[in-house]
Amino acid sequence: MSASRRSGTTDELGPDEPGESGGSDLLAALLDGMDAALCAFDADGVVTHWNREAERILGWTAAEAVGRHGFAGWAVRSADAEEVQARLMSAMHAPGRQVHEFALVTKDGGRVLVRTQSAAVRGPDGKPAGVYCAFSEVHAQIDLERSIALSEALFEDAAWGVVLIDADLRPAVVNAHAARALGIGRTSALGRPLGELLAQGVEELEAAFTHVLAEGAPPAPADMWVTVRTARGEERRCWRNGFVRLASPLAEEPVPLGVGWLFQDVTEGRQGEQEAALLRFRTNQLHRAARAAAECEDPAEAATVHLDFALAGFADHALIDRVVPSPRSKNPQDSQGSEDSGSSGGSEGSGGEEAAARLVRLAATPAGAPGPSLLTGAAGLPVRYEPGHPALQCVARAGAVRADAGSVPAQRAREWALARQWPGDAVHALCAVLRSRGRTLGVVTFLRGSGRSRFERSDTAYAEDVAVRIAAALDLADALRGE
C-alpha cells in the first residue's frame, strides 16, 4: 500500500496496488475499527486515506475526501486553510508526533474543534513520503484525559483508600492510602485473598463485592467494622465504604471486570458517636431511676430501683453488700483511702485492714432468669468473702476496683467466679464503694458475662454515679430506722 497516490481509482482508504487487495481489505478493516478519526496525505498534501470515524465527525465520505488537495475549500475555512495545511505538513520533516488543535468544517456547514496528532510516513527508502493525521473531537479527548488524570490521582494522591477488586474478589490495584490502612505494601497486597489482609470483617466485604458484581452499586455508602493486622497487633477499625461495578467499555454487553472499592477510616467519629449515645442513655437512666425512686416509701426499695435501672445495657448481675461492724473494728465506716482505678483478677491483694470489714448481702439480682433485684440479708449473716476479695479491697480503699477472670477456659472462669461468691457466668467485675456523709456504707458490685467486654474507666464513672444514689438511699433508710 502506498502512502502517496495521486492517480488511479480510490476507495475510502486509498487505491490498491496490483495483487494487494487482501492487504487493502485488512487495512480497511483495521482503520475503520479505530475509535479515532484518521486521514493521510501524500508528500504533496493530497488526501489518500479517510476512515469511517472521520466521516462520522465531519460528515464527508471517503469518496468525497480522498483525492482532494488538503482541507482548503471543504474541511476548513478558506482563511484558515493555508495555516492548517502548513502545520499538518510540517510533521513530515519533524521528529516524533505533533499535536495541534484546529476548527474543521463539517459537511453541513457546522464547525467542530478537533485535536490532531500527526507524524511523517516514511517510504521504502526511508525518506518522508507523506503524513498521517489522527484526530478526535476536543471534548472527547478532554474527557479521556480527565478520566486518566482522575484514575492516576485516585491511585496516587487520594485521601481515602481505593482498591480495584477483580472478579475473583482479590485486590488488583491498591493505592497508597489503602496500603497504609491495610498495613501492607502496595504490591504485596495484589492477588492475595482478603482473609490474609484482614483478621475480621472479611465475610461482610466479600458479600458486598459479590452483590455489586451481580446487582450493581448500592445507593449509599456502608459502614463496616474490620480488624486489621498491624505491626502493633490487631486493631479494630470502622471504614465507610463505597462500591462501584467496573464493566468493560469494549464489550457489546456489559461484562463485569471487578469492583471499585473506596473506603475512608471513620473510627474516631463512630466511637465518638457511640460514646455520646451511651452517655445520653446512661444519663436518661439515672434520671428515670431518680424519678422512680422518689415514689418509693421505703428507702431500701429505692436503692434496688437505682440498681435495676443501672443494669440495663451495663451489666448482667449486680449485688449490694452492707458494711457491719466487726469484732476488731467497731467503726469500719470511717475507713478512708484514695480511689483506685481498678485491678485485674490476678492481682487482688489482701491485708489486715480489708479483713477488719464484714459485709452482709442486702440486695441481689436473680442468679437465674432476669428480674428485679431482691432484698436479702434479713438474717444479717456476713458474706463468706476471702481476704483479698475485690469488694473488701473496695471498702478498704474507699474507691472502685475492677477484676477479671482473664483469658482462661470456661471451667476455670466459673471456678474463679464461684470462689468469689458471684454467679458462675461472671467473668468481669466492678466494685464501687457506697459512701454518704463521709462514711463507707457498703459496696455495689456489677458483673458481666463472657459475652460482654471488660469494664473500662468510663464504666467506673457511671458505676460511681449509681453508687452515690444507692448510698444516699441506704443512709436515709438508716436514719429513718434510728428515728
Side-chain angles (χ1 to χ4, degrees):
M1 176 72 67
S2 173
S4 176
R5 177 81 57 184
R6 280 186 285 176
S7 63
T9 305
T10 61
D11 59 14
E12 63 189 53
L13 299 175
D16 293 333
E17 294 284 358
E20 292 186 356
S21 61
S24 176
D25 292 340
L26 175 60
L27 182 59
L30 292 174
L31 297 183
D32 280 342
M34 294 176 61
D35 291 332
L38 184 136
C39 65
F41 304 88
D42 63 12
D44 296 326
V46 176
V47 178
T48 61
H49 297 79
W50 191 264
N51 73 348
R52 294 189 185 277
E53 183 64 13
E55 178 182 343
R56 185 194 69 79
I57 294 176
L58 296 179
W60 301 98
T61 65
E64 296 170 322
V66 174
R68 290 179 180 265
H69 189 278
F71 287 153
W74 62 287
V76 295
R77 296 189 310 171
S78 300
D80 301 331
E82 183 177 351
E83 179 188 358
V84 170
Q85 188 73 6
R87 293 171 70 180
L88 284 175
M89 298 307 295
S90 67
M92 190 166 58
H93 303 287
R97 293 179 299 173
Q98 290 189 341
V99 178
H100 302 286
E101 289 187 3
F102 303 123
L104 300 183
V105 178
T106 63
K107 186 176 181 179
D108 58 7
R111 299 183 69 192
V112 58
L113 185 64
V114 299
R115 179 173 295 179
T116 66
Q117 294 188 34
S118 54
V121 176
R122 306 288 175 180
D125 57 357
K127 295 181 179 180
V131 174
Y132 80 84
C133 175
F135 63 91
S136 61
E137 297 176 78
V138 167
H139 71 82
Q141 183 72 17
I142 291 177
D143 288 344
L144 175 61
E145 292 179 0
R146 284 172 177 165
S147 298
I148 295 173
L150 174 62
S151 176
E152 292 180 351
L154 285 176
F155 285 102
E156 295 298 334
D157 305 321
W160 52 86
V162 182
V163 182
L164 296 189
I165 302 295
D166 62 21
D168 294 328
L169 307 186
R170 299 191 179 197
V173 184
V174 179
N175 78 339
H177 187 96
R180 289 192 299 269
L182 293 169
I184 195 171
R186 293 182 64 178
T187 57
S188 302
L190 303 184
R192 297 176 60 180
L194 288 176
E196 296 182 6
L197 307 178
L198 299 174
Q200 294 180 5
V202 178
E203 294 81 3
E204 291 80 358
L205 280 172
E206 290 184 341
F209 298 150
T210 303
H211 172 81
V212 172
L213 287 172
E215 305 292 338
D223 290 351
M224 295 184 185
W225 285 91
V226 299
T227 301
V228 183
R229 298 186 180 96
T230 67
R232 300 180 299 274
E234 295 184 353
E235 294 183 359
R236 185 164 171 78
R237 314 298 297 173
C238 182
W239 289 346
R240 167 160 284 188
N241 306 277
F243 308 95
V244 291
R245 181 167 60 180
L246 305 178
S248 173
L250 304 179
E252 294 184 2
E253 297 181 359
V255 178
L257 296 178
V259 177
W261 172 31
L262 296 86
F263 65 91
Q264 190 173 25
D265 195 316
V266 293
T267 306
E268 293 184 3
R270 292 296 170 269
Q271 287 178 340
E273 292 174 2
Q274 291 177 355
E275 291 173 0
L278 182 61
L279 180 60
R280 286 194 301 270
F281 173 76
R282 289 179 175 177
T283 301
N284 187 48
Q285 286 297 97
L286 291 174
H287 174 72
R288 294 175 59 196
R291 296 194 61 178
E295 303 300 323
C296 297
E297 295 184 4
D298 184 0
E301 182 183 354
T304 62
V305 167
H306 284 291
L307 192 65
D308 292 334
F309 273 94
L311 275 178
F314 183 68
D316 298 314
H317 306 286
L319 316 168
I320 298 178
D321 296 326
R322 283 296 309 270
V323 171
V324 295
S326 65
R328 287 183 292 172
S329 177
K330 296 300 182 181
N331 190 21
Q333 293 91 339
D334 294 333
S335 60
Q336 301 290 334
S338 61
E339 180 178 344
D340 184 79
S341 61
S343 63
S344 65
S347 62
E348 297 166 9
S350 62
E353 191 174 2
E354 296 171 6
R358 292 193 304 166
L359 298 174
V360 173
R361 181 66 42 80
L362 178 66
T365 53
S373 302
L374 303 176
L375 290 171
T376 60
L381 299 177
V383 186
R384 295 180 295 107
Y385 287 152
E386 295 292 333
H389 192 280
L392 298 178
Q393 293 184 51
C394 183
V395 171
R397 303 176 186 181
V401 174
R402 288 176 288 169
D404 292 277
S407 300
V408 297
Q411 183 58 36
R412 289 282 305 277
R414 179 177 176 81
E415 294 173 357
W416 176 86
L418 295 178
R420 287 155 180 77
Q421 309 300 314
W422 292 333
D425 59 343
V427 294
H428 310 293
L430 172 58
C431 299
V433 66
L434 302 176
R435 300 224 5 127
S436 178
R437 293 191 295 170
R439 299 178 302 144
T440 298
L441 303 183
V443 179
V444 57
T445 302
F446 295 100
L447 303 169
R448 289 177 177 174
S450 57
R452 293 177 180 265
S453 61
R454 60 178 306 209
F455 289 100
E456 303 295 341
R457 290 187 178 274
S458 59
D459 298 323
T460 300
Y462 179 61
E464 290 174 340
D465 284 343
V466 176
V468 168
R469 288 161 171 77
I470 294 176
L474 296 181
D475 196 12
L476 177 58
D478 291 344
L480 293 178
R481 279 196 296 272
E483 292 179 359

